[in-house]
């Protein structure tokens, strides 16, 4: 059985990562601000109460964003 992928979500992630890299490459946003954006996004999902019935989704999103931060995918390490 084939697995269904979240094509819109994957596309949005790729676009956002490219935008963050471009903003950093052109010295529009420094690395610490980009990491701050990512930390804020992760915290928003980590702190979500799950009242919308999507607690697992919010936990997974926070984990993915934190993985991006740890992996250095959002900024080019100089």
């Amino acid at each position: 059985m084939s697995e269904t992928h979240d094509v819109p979500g994957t596309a949005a992630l790729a676009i956002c990562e490219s935008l963050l890299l471009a903003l950093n490459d052109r010295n529009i946003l420094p690395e610490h601000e980009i990491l701050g954006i990512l930390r804020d996004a992760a915290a928003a999902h980590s702190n979500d109460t799950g009242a919308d019935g999507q607690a697992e989704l919010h936990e997974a999103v926070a984990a993915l964003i934190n993985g991006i931060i740890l992996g250095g995918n959002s900024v080019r390490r100089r």
Side-chain angles (χ1 to χ4, degrees), residues 11-28:
L13 177 61
I15 292 166
C16 288
E17 285 182 311
S18 293
L19 284 170
L20 291 174
L21 288 168
L23 289 169
N24 185 249
D25 288 348
R26 285 155 184 78
N27 297 314
I28 296 169

Side-chain angles (χ1 to χ4, degrees), residues 31-70:
E31 179 177 334
H32 75 272
E33 294 215 14
I34 292 170
L35 293 173
I37 290 167
L38 292 171
R39 287 186 188 109
D40 287 348
H45 286 280
S46 292
N47 296 328
D48 190 278
T49 63
D52 60 359
Q54 299 290 319
E56 285 185 35
L57 174 65
H58 293 297
E59 288 175 23
V61 169
L64 176 62
I65 295 169
N66 285 322
I68 290 169
I69 293 168
L70 291 174

